[in-house]
Amino acid sequence: MKKVFAVILSLALLLSLTACGGKSTETTAPAASVEGTMEELLNKVIEQNPVQFMGATTPVDLTDTSEDGKWILKSVTGLEDASQITEAAFYEPMIGSIAFSMVMVRTASGVDPKTVAEAMKAGVDPRKWICVEADDMMVAGCGDVVMLIMVSSSSDMTAQSFVDAFQKVAGRDCDFVI
């Protein structure tokens, strides 16, 4: 009886050590993508957090490599080229004296969204308007979608309120906010 009990204890100890020391085969899956075009997502964010001005959602032609095309890409996204993104759109006021810009981009497969977000934040000009400046800026990412929001703190809007609306539209917390 003592031998049977000793064998059972030995097996239990062996199994517990194997369980603790075994390698995990579980891998971290990439964050799920947010469904919809960039235009659709921008419009949904505006529905969640309405603005008090007339604005428009505009797609960015990533194939336009003319001077104007490069200027638009840089002006709205802060990116020098479109090599790391597959889609982009922006929402801005129809008049130029309101410091507000919200842009969304979808990153290309294999591209780190946070790296794109950091490049966007570093490259965009918060003084791109005449006589006004956006001094409240945030960049957030959910899956392969990155949103940059710039507003003036003198308005009733905050960048955080648009990040919160983005999270509602995405149906989850952002992977990062910078």
Side-chain angles (χ1 to χ4, degrees):
M1 183 67 158
K2 288 183 183 179
K3 287 183 181 181
V4 172
F5 187 65
V7 170
I8 291 173
L9 280 176
S10 296
L11 287 173
L13 179 61
L14 182 63
L15 288 173
S16 67
L17 289 175
T18 303
C20 292
K23 291 183 181 177
S24 173
T25 58
E26 186 177 314
T27 58
T28 305
S33 178
V34 180
E35 296 297 317
T37 67
M38 297 305 94
E39 293 172 82
E40 292 167 345
L41 293 175
L42 283 169
N43 289 331
K44 287 178 182 179
V45 169
I46 294 296
E47 286 173 18
Q48 286 290 320
N49 194 32
V51 294
Q52 302 300 314
F53 56 81
M54 291 291 292
T57 301
T58 308
V60 177
D61 181 0
L62 301 181
T63 64
D64 185 355
T65 57
S66 70
E67 285 292 317
D68 287 342
K70 290 177 183 177
W71 179 83
I72 290 170
L73 180 70
K74 174 71 173 167
S75 175
V76 297
T77 69
L79 300 173
E80 294 292 333
D81 64 67
S83 63
Q84 296 186 315
I85 59 176
T86 61
E87 184 183 3
F90 62 98
Y91 184 94
E92 290 189 350
M94 292 184 166
I95 57 172
S97 62
I98 299 172
F100 179 95
S101 181
M102 183 169 50
V103 61
M104 286 190 182
V105 302
R106 187 172 306 276
T107 58
S109 178
V111 173
D112 178 30
K114 191 169 185 182
T115 301
V116 172
E118 290 166 345
M120 290 172 68
K121 189 169 186 179
V124 75
D125 182 5
R127 295 188 55 108
K128 66 181 183 175
W129 304 276
I130 298 173
C131 301
V132 294
E133 177 180 1
D135 58 353
D136 184 9
M137 181 187 334
M138 296 177 91
V139 187
C142 283
D144 61 354
V145 176
V146 176
M147 179 188 80
L148 179 140
I149 177 71
M150 297 190 297
V151 299
S152 171
S153 62
S154 65
S155 70
D156 293 337
M157 301 175 287
T158 65
Q160 184 63 56
S161 66
F162 289 95
V163 170
D164 294 343
F166 179 37
Q167 291 180 126
K168 286 181 184 175
V169 169
R172 62 188 176 95
D173 289 342
C174 290
D175 301 324
F176 60 85
V177 177
I178 51 176

